[in-house]
Amino acid sequence: MSERRFRDIYGYAPAVSASAPGRVNLLGEHTDYNDGYVLPTAIPQRTTIELGLNADGIYRAYASTLNQTTKWQPGETPERGFASYLHGCIRLLEAGGHTVAPLDIWVDSSVPMGAGLSSSAALEVAMLKALRAMFDLSIDNVEIAQLAQRAEIEYAGVRCGIMDQMASSLADTEHMLFLDTRTLERKLVDLPEHSEILVIYSGVPRQLAASKYNERRAECEQAAQLLGVPALRDIADVQRLESLPEPLRRRARHVVSENARVLEAVGGVSAERFGQLMNDSHASLRDDYEVSIDALDRLAESLQQEAATFGARLTGAGFGGACVALVESGTAGEISERVLRRYADHGYRGSRLV
Ligand code: GLA
């Protein structure tokens, strides 16, 4: 927690406080905007927001992690940066008919930024939960996730799916959240027995993520259209993809096979099989979906080499960020030390995040 609390910045005590976690996705990557299945879990790192009513009729926001303050008038748009997410949340509530009085906003976050662990979803969900508490709004956690997703699309320019915001709003750190992103049906499922999660940052921030992400999404939509289905989720048999031109065939093959991996994993498989599905997912993201980079391949390989690792893969959108591994309970610390040492031999600097 930062030294400079709400009271230090604004001179009075906050009225409400709310928080939301980042997430790491175990399986089901680039499936959510294809109406498919995902399997994320919440990470211990969280974003906290405190609010108080501003007496001068303006919005003020302070981010302790960045030690940055931003101000804007009602009806104005703040400068790009963390405040645009906050502003996006406020504007969307107003568009939904709610009144949001000028506020003093305090933000503190331990969710790493640029690591593919959804720091922006945590920021949006925490903000919306704080606004709900402040103004006694009757919106549930699913509606919060939906509003947060719209904030990301309309105010941050990434045409993302709904996985991150649903995970931040509804997941806990003890379970995986199995989510059908078309129906939003979901259930909490246990990790495979005798296993734990390890997350290592590649040291390479996500690059080109927004443009490449939107490009992949457009390729998937084109593939679905050529196949005459509403979304790639509606294809279960990879044989049906044969008629597609490249690279659409490979892109679609990733999505179809990834959905099958999630469904198999939640059917109740051993940790060994779950890990194999994660390894297969990495290969598919690397070769068919082409969202990996050298650093992530090295890190995933190095994790996979460890005897006590069940499986490992890049997690999140790709083009930088982190790898997630499923390892035997109690081994994450030692595995992480060895892997980081080998990774450094390749000239990279990683760090353990979970
Ligand atoms: C980002 C997006 C999510 C999802 C993942 C890839 O995190 O915000 O909606 O598409 O990438 O699985």
Side-chain angles (χ1 to χ4, degrees), residues 269-280:
V269 294
S270 65
E272 286 77 13
R273 180 64 192 149
F274 195 106
Q276 185 58 51
L277 293 168
M278 291 173 77
N279 294 345
D280 294 348

Side-chain angles (χ1 to χ4, degrees), residues 17-257:
S17 171
S19 75
R23 65 95 189 96
V24 62
N25 190 21
L26 275 294
L27 272 176
E29 216 65 86
H30 289 281
T31 50
D32 62 351
Y33 52 83
N34 291 295
D35 278 2
Y37 308 101
V38 294
L39 202 52
T41 181
I43 57 170
Q45 290 94 330
R46 304 181 72 87
T47 295
T48 301
I49 301 237
E50 295 180 348
L51 301 176
L53 280 181
N54 177 285
D56 305 319
I58 60 167
Y59 293 93
R60 291 189 294 187
Y62 173 77
S64 70
T65 331
L66 310 168
N67 193 22
Q68 239 178 51
T69 311
T70 309
K71 296 179 188 177
W72 68 100
Q73 301 283 339
E76 256 182 27
T77 304
E79 284 166 36
R80 282 204 73 78
F82 78 99
S84 14
Y85 296 91
L86 308 175
H87 170 70
C89 293
I90 294 170
R91 288 309 277 266
L92 287 172
L93 283 180
E94 287 176 337
H98 302 286
T99 307
V100 181
L103 294 166
D104 288 328
I105 308 165
W106 179 88
V107 185
D108 186 66
S109 184
S110 56
V111 184
M113 284 184 278
L117 300 181
S118 294
S119 58
S120 60
L123 179 60
E124 293 145 0
V125 170
M127 179 63 177
L128 288 162
K129 288 192 171 177
L131 289 165
R132 174 173 69 186
M134 183 85 194
F135 300 109
D136 214 7
L137 307 176
S138 56
I139 44 177
D140 65 23
N141 288 341
V142 172
E143 290 168 311
I144 289 220
Q146 288 169 323
L147 283 166
Q149 181 199 17
R150 281 185 57 199
E152 185 83 33
I153 296 174
E154 293 172 28
Y155 292 85
V158 179
R159 292 184 63 215
C160 64
I162 198 155
M163 165 170 70
D164 304 347
Q165 293 79 11
M166 283 292 279
S168 184
S169 189
L170 291 146
D172 62 41
T173 52
E174 310 303 310
H175 301 90
M176 299 180 290
L177 177 75
F178 170 52
L179 173 70
D180 177 336
T181 63
R182 172 174 279 169
T183 62
L184 298 190
E185 269 174 62
R186 61 204 173 269
K187 69 175 178 197
L188 292 174
V189 294
D190 289 328
L191 275 184
E193 280 196 346
H194 313 300
S195 66
E196 63 186 13
I197 291 170
L198 166 63
V199 179
I200 296 187
Y201 177 48
S202 65
V204 183
R206 294 200 301 137
Q207 293 152 343
L208 289 175
S211 61
K212 287 285 178 192
Y213 184 93
N214 291 341
E215 182 186 297
R216 289 293 177 280
R217 183 170 179 153
E219 288 169 340
C220 289
E221 285 166 356
Q222 211 189 332
Q225 206 186 4
L226 288 172
L227 294 164
V229 290
L232 287 178
R233 175 305 184 20
D234 298 298
I235 308 276
D237 181 4
V238 284
Q239 299 302 326
R240 281 190 64 191
L241 310 176
E242 290 304 316
S243 60
L244 290 174
E246 290 293 7
L248 301 190
R249 194 166 66 90
R250 274 178 295 139
R251 305 291 187 252
R253 188 168 58 191
H254 165 71
V255 174
V256 171
S257 64

